[in-house]
Amino acid sequence: MDIFANLVSGITGVMTPTNLLFLGIGVVVGMLVGAIPGLGPSAGLAILLPLTFGLEPTTAIVMLAAVYYGAMYGGTITSVLINTPGDSASVPATLEGYPMARKGRAGPALVIAAVGSFAAGTVAVVLLTIAAPLMAGVASSFGPPELFLLIIIGLLTLVVLVGRSWLRGLISVLIGFAIGTVGIDVGGGEQRYTFGSTELINGIDFIPVAIGLFGIGEILWTLYRGGHNDDTMTDVRVDRRSAAFWPSRQEWRDSRGAIARGTPLGFVLGVVPGAGATVASLISYGIEKGLSRRPQRFGRGAVEGLAGPEAANNAAATGAMVPLLTLGIPGSASTAVLLGGFLMWGLQPGPLLMRDNPDFAWGLIGSMYLGNVMLLVMNVFCIPLFAKVTKTPFRTLAPLIIILCAFGTFAVNGSVVEVGIMFACGVLGFLMRRYGLAPAATVIALVLGPMAEETLRQTLLLQGGLGLFVERTPSLVLLCVLVLLLCAPVLSAPLKRAAAALMPRRAAARAAGEAGAAEDAAPKA
C-alpha cells in the first residue's frame, strides 16, 4: 500500500501545468534527437543538460527523463525510413524495419515499434515501481565496503560488455578514472594534476566532458565518415490516412509474443550496469530468430524481429533507472548523464534518495507513466511529421549542434576553460571512436571513479580495514560476483569452443530426427 500511495502522490505532483508542459517538450525533443542520425540519447541529454539549469529539480529531471526514453524510439524512425540507426540500440530495426519500408509497409513497421515501445515501457515502469523500493531497502544496509564493490562490479561489467574487446573497455574506463583524479585529493587535501590552474582545483566538471565526448565527438565522427556528403533521401512515403498505414491482423499476431519476450529480457539487462539497451535489443533479435519457424524471413522484413528488439530496447532504458535511483550507479551512458543532473541540483541518488526526497523520486517514476502515454500518441499520429526530420542535411545540423554545445557548456559556470575542455574531450571522443574505444565507459567511470575512491578510503578507515570485505556477508557475496566477472574473459573462449563442438552434433541429431519422421509419414506401398 505504501508503494501505491507514493506512486499516486508522485503522479499527482507531476500533474501541474509546468511539469506537463516540460514533459511534453521532453518527449518531442527526445524523438527529434533520436531521429537525427549521429546524436542518440546520450549526446542529446549531454547537450540539453545545461539548458535545464534554471528549472526546478523535479521539472528538469522529468523533462530529461522524457528526452531519454523519447530518444530511444526516435532512432527507430531513421532506421526504418533511411536504413540509418539513430543509435546502436536501433540496429535491429534497420535489419527488419527498412525491408518492410521498401515493401510499402513503413507505416505498420513504425506503428508496431511504437506500440511495442509503449507496452514494454509501461510494464517496465511497473517493474521499476516494485523493484526500486525493494532494492533501496536492501541497499540501505550497505556500508562503504559494499558500495565500493558494487561500483567495481558495475565498471567491470562495462569492461566485459562494451567495445570490441575487454582490453579496449579497460582502457576506456581508465581514461575516465584519470580525468576523475584531477582536483583536490579527498584524503590529504593536496592538489592533483591541476598544473597550477585555479579553474581545475575543484576538478573537471562532468558536463563539459559529457558534451565533448558525446556531442562534439559524434559530430567529428560523422564528418570523418563522410556524413556531410550524404544527401541520400528516402523515397518512402508515410501517410496516416492510408489503410496501408496500419498493421494487419497477422502482423499483430506475429509481434505479440516477441513483445512479451523482449520486455522482461530488456528490463533485466537494463538493471545490469553496462549491459543496457544495445545488448538487450541484439540479444532479443537473436532469440526471435532462433525461435522462429521460418528464420529465412529474417533480414527481409520479419515483423517479430522488429517488435522484440524495440520492446527490449525501451524496457532496458527503464531498467537502467533502478541502479541509478537505488544505488547511485548509472546503468548506461544516458543514465550517467542523468546522474550528472542529479548532482548538479544537489541530489545524491542512492539508498536514501527515496527516503529523504520522496517527492522527487516518486515524481520521476510517476512521470514515466504519463510520458509513455504521450509517447504513444505522438509516435502514432506524428510519424509523418517526424519523418521529415530525417531529410535535414547533416551539414546544416552540425554547425548548429556545435554552437549549442559551446553555449550550453559556457552557460553552466561561465567558464571559458570548460569550453576548451569540452572541445578537447570532443577530439578525445572522436579518437576513441576511431580506435574502437567506448566513450560511454569513460563517462560512467568519470562519475563512479571519485565515488569508488571515497568509499575505499572510508573502508580503510573503519575498524577491520580490508578484512571487512570477507567478514561481512553482503560484501563477501559481492566479492564472489566480482571474482566471476574477472574470470569471464578467461572462461568465455573455452565455453565458445564447447558450444561450437556441440552445435554440429545437435544439428546432425535434428536432421536424423526429421528424416525419421518423414520416413514414418511417407505412404507405404
Side-chain angles (χ1 to χ4, degrees):
M1 289 298 294
D2 290 339
I3 294 177
F4 180 76
N6 289 329
L7 178 61
V8 172
S9 175
I11 294 176
T12 304
V14 172
M15 294 184 68
T16 64
T18 301
N19 288 337
L20 290 177
L21 173 63
F22 280 95
L23 178 63
I25 293 174
V27 169
V28 174
V29 172
M31 291 187 63
L32 291 173
V33 166
I36 298 174
L39 281 185
S42 303
L45 284 171
I47 294 170
L48 295 172
L49 181 60
L51 303 183
T52 64
F53 188 69
L55 300 177
E56 292 292 327
T58 301
T59 304
I61 199 63
V62 163
M63 176 183 170
L64 289 176
V67 173
Y68 172 41
Y69 50 78
M72 301 306 293
Y73 175 78
T76 306
I77 296 176
T78 54
S79 299
V80 172
L81 295 181
I82 60 175
N83 200 31
T84 303
D87 66 322
S88 57
S90 300
V91 169
T94 64
L95 302 177
E96 306 300 335
Y98 185 68
M100 289 181 66
R102 299 292 294 176
K103 296 176 182 177
R105 306 295 292 168
L110 293 172
V111 170
I112 285 176
V115 173
S117 300
F118 169 75
T122 302
V123 172
V125 174
V126 174
L127 296 176
L128 170 65
T129 305
I130 299 172
L134 296 178
M135 186 174 288
V138 173
S140 61
S141 63
F142 285 2
E146 290 80 14
L147 293 176
F148 172 75
L149 290 175
L150 277 173
I151 293 170
I152 299 302
I153 287 172
L155 291 173
L156 275 180
T157 307
L158 281 172
V159 170
V160 173
L161 293 179
V162 303
R164 300 176 185 174
S165 68
W166 68 268
L167 180 59
R168 290 186 173 92
L170 178 61
I171 294 173
S172 304
V173 168
L174 291 177
I175 291 174
F177 270 160
I179 298 175
T181 58
V182 176
I184 298 294
D185 181 5
V186 295
E190 296 88 359
Q191 296 186 25
R192 299 186 301 191
Y193 311 115
T194 59
F195 304 103
S197 172
T198 56
E199 294 275 355
L200 297 178
I201 290 178
N202 292 325
I204 295 179
D205 196 60
F206 170 83
I207 292 177
V209 176
I211 293 178
L213 289 178
F214 291 127
I216 303 297
E218 289 291 337
I219 293 294
L220 296 177
W221 175 247
T222 305
L223 292 173
Y224 174 78
R225 292 188 293 110
H228 58 294
N229 295 322
D230 188 6
D231 293 326
T232 303
M233 299 299 177
T234 178
D235 57 356
V236 177
R237 295 183 178 273
V238 180
D239 186 3
R240 187 170 54 84
R241 294 170 295 182
S242 171
F245 179 81
W246 303 100
S248 64
R249 291 184 179 180
Q250 184 61 44
E251 288 172 330
W252 283 122
R253 284 193 292 267
D254 292 340
S255 61
R256 283 183 303 186
I259 294 173
R261 288 184 291 269
T263 299
L265 171 69
F267 183 81
V268 171
L269 290 176
V271 173
V272 178
T278 302
V279 175
S281 62
L282 293 175
I283 291 179
S284 175
Y285 183 80
I287 290 175
E288 295 306 320
K289 187 174 182 179
L291 294 177
S292 177
R293 296 179 180 178
R294 295 176 293 170
Q296 65 276 8
R297 294 171 51 247
F298 280 71
R300 302 177 182 177
V303 68
E304 59 267 37
L306 172 66
E310 282 301 303
N313 179 359
N314 286 269
T318 304
M321 300 293 289
V322 176
L324 174 66
L325 293 176
T326 60
L327 301 174
I329 296 176
S332 64
S334 300
T335 52
V337 180
L338 289 177
L339 177 57
F342 281 112
L343 299 177
M344 186 175 70
W345 298 309
L347 296 167
Q348 178 61 58
L352 302 181
L353 177 66
M354 304 190 81
R355 188 194 72 181
D356 297 341
N357 303 97
D359 294 340
F360 177 83
W362 287 104
L364 172 60
I365 295 174
S367 73
M368 299 180 75
Y369 284 94
L370 302 176
N372 274 298
V373 176
M374 286 188 180
L375 190 61
L376 176 64
V377 173
M378 292 184 180
N379 280 342
V380 173
F381 293 99
C382 298
I383 284 174
L385 176 63
F386 286 115
K388 295 180 180 179
V389 178
T390 64
K391 298 185 178 182
T392 305
F394 182 79
R395 58 176 176 267
T396 302
L397 292 174
L400 297 177
I401 294 173
I402 292 174
I403 293 173
L404 185 61
C405 288
F407 174 78
T409 301
F410 182 79
V412 175
N413 296 316
S415 172
V416 177
V417 173
E418 289 189 348
V419 176
I421 292 173
M422 183 266 296
F423 281 110
C425 289
V427 176
L428 175 63
F430 163 73
L431 293 175
M432 294 180 72
R433 291 290 302 271
R434 173 68 177 82
Y435 295 103
L437 302 179
T442 300
V443 168
I444 296 177
L446 171 62
V447 175
L448 296 182
M451 296 170 59
E453 181 183 5
E454 182 179 359
T455 52
L456 179 59
R457 287 181 181 272
Q458 291 173 349
T459 302
L460 295 176
L461 292 174
L462 293 175
Q463 186 176 1
L466 293 175
L468 292 174
F469 288 118
V470 293
E471 294 173 0
R472 297 161 60 103
T473 302
S475 60
L476 184 60
V477 173
L478 293 173
L479 195 61
C480 294
V481 175
L482 184 62
V483 172
L484 290 176
L485 280 174
L486 288 172
C487 295
V490 179
L491 297 176
S492 60
L495 290 175
K496 288 179 181 179
R497 287 195 295 268
L502 289 175
M503 288 302 292
R505 299 177 185 176
R506 292 181 179 177
R510 184 183 300 176
E514 292 175 354
E519 183 178 348
D520 293 338
K524 297 183 179 179

